[in-house]
Amino acid sequence: MVLGKQGAGKGTQCVRLSHHYVVPHVSTGDMLRAAVKQGTPIGQKAKDLMDRGELLGDELIMEMVAERLQESDVRARGFVLDGCPRTVAQAEELAGILAPFDLDLAIDIEIHTTQVLRRLAARRVCVDCGANYSLSSPPLINWTCDVCGGEVVQRQDDTEEAISRRLELYEIQTAPLIEWYRSRNQLESVPGTGSPDSVTRRMVKVIEIRRQRGSGFG
Ligand code: ADP
């Protein structure tokens, strides 16, 4: 499971880890954005809250995550979890869902708020596949996604107002999870600075060290 402020690079790194270890990437943000796009009942509830940078209710999120974690790909291979838990209540619920197993590891990607503000203001995403770009590394042609040809735009919750609300909620609701996982000996932290490749290398390194120690890895 990967923790980090908005803009820490969670989404990018989770996609890379899921390719590296050949496990599904389970992202609540991606699942919710897909639900909004499809106009499902969850999507209809979620849209307005997401655009304002508010969190959705724990119950709705955990129901969605529990359902996803029961699917056969996850059961066969494991998973990289991105965007959940975001509150201590979600962490407790997740532990219950996973019992008698548990998370192998929670990795916190550390980054300074001034840096994430800069990254989020410049972030652009593909509306179809969610690939990430930025003003400094745009798609090759005309804001058309290199991966799938979709339109590349600014996320609706990447406005200044919604960004500051999300960061505020991160400090209040999500940051306490760092201590929560540390006290259970499930936490590793890596600096989120430098190139995406160097952050991936740091993450794989802490995963491999834990694996060799065999602490909890299933
Ligand atoms: P970010 O981490 O940049 O805010 P995400 O893509 O992870 O973006 O999530 C987008 C939005 O989806 C959040 O701002 C929130 O409204 C909602 N969301 C995602 N995951 C959760 C969660 N675990 N609990 C509550 N709300 C969530």
Side-chain angles (χ1 to χ4, degrees):
M1 189 276 287
V2 181
L3 277 170
K5 277 179 203 147
Q6 290 72 13
K10 255 183 310 154
T12 305
Q13 295 302 331
C14 286
V15 169
R16 286 159 168 253
L17 288 182
S18 84
H19 290 167
H20 185 87
Y21 290 105
V22 199
V23 297
H25 171 208
V26 176
S27 156
T28 50
D30 287 353
M31 286 159 81
L32 290 168
R33 280 184 288 276
V36 169
K37 213 168 146 196
Q38 288 162 13
T40 66
I42 288 187
Q44 286 169 11
K45 259 194 228 167
K47 181 168 185 349
D48 181 49
L49 286 169
M50 287 174 76
D51 286 351
R52 284 190 282 129
E54 297 294 333
L55 290 184
L56 274 69
D58 290 338
E59 206 175 309
L60 180 144
I61 293 287
M62 294 318 295
E63 214 172 283
M64 185 177 82
V65 168
E67 209 171 284
R68 179 70 185 93
L69 295 184
Q70 272 164 21
E71 285 174 29
S72 56
D73 58 337
V74 169
R75 296 184 81 100
R77 297 280 319 161
F79 55 88
V80 178
L81 189 55
D82 169 4
C84 176
R86 246 184 174 81
T87 63
V88 170
Q90 290 182 14
E92 282 165 353
E93 178 86 22
L94 178 66
I97 292 170
L98 296 175
F101 303 102
D102 205 348
L103 289 178
D104 292 323
L105 187 61
I107 303 182
D108 179 37
I109 306 181
E110 297 174 323
I111 191 129
H112 212 274
T113 302
T114 46
Q115 193 157 6
V116 302
L117 287 173
R118 235 177 294 138
R119 285 190 187 176
L120 290 170
R123 169 159 82 178
R124 298 293 181 272
V125 296
C126 170
V127 292
D128 289 331
C129 74
N132 272 305
Y133 299 91
S134 73
L135 291 178
S136 57
S137 60
L140 294 173
I141 303 161
N142 242 348
W143 297 104
T144 299
C145 180
D146 295 339
V147 181
C148 77
E151 191 189 354
V152 174
V153 300
Q154 185 157 32
R155 247 169 68 167
Q156 278 180 6
D157 60 352
D158 276 348
T159 60
E160 217 177 298
E161 252 184 348
I163 290 171
S164 62
R165 179 63 182 150
R166 278 150 64 213
L167 287 169
E168 184 181 31
L169 286 176
Y170 174 85
E171 292 303 336
I172 301 169
Q173 307 258 50
T174 310
L177 287 175
I178 296 172
E179 276 316 310
W180 200 86
Y181 282 110
R182 201 195 312 274
S183 70
R184 284 161 180 74
N185 191 27
Q186 286 180 300
L187 188 87
E188 292 286 350
S189 300
V190 299
T193 47
S195 68
D197 278 351
S198 55
V199 179
T200 310
R201 274 197 297 274
R202 289 175 201 137
M203 295 179 87
V204 169
K205 194 166 158 195
V206 296
I207 292 170
E208 290 309 317
I209 290 172
R210 282 265 175 168
R211 269 184 131 175
Q212 277 159 20
R213 275 199 246 140
S215 47
F217 265 83

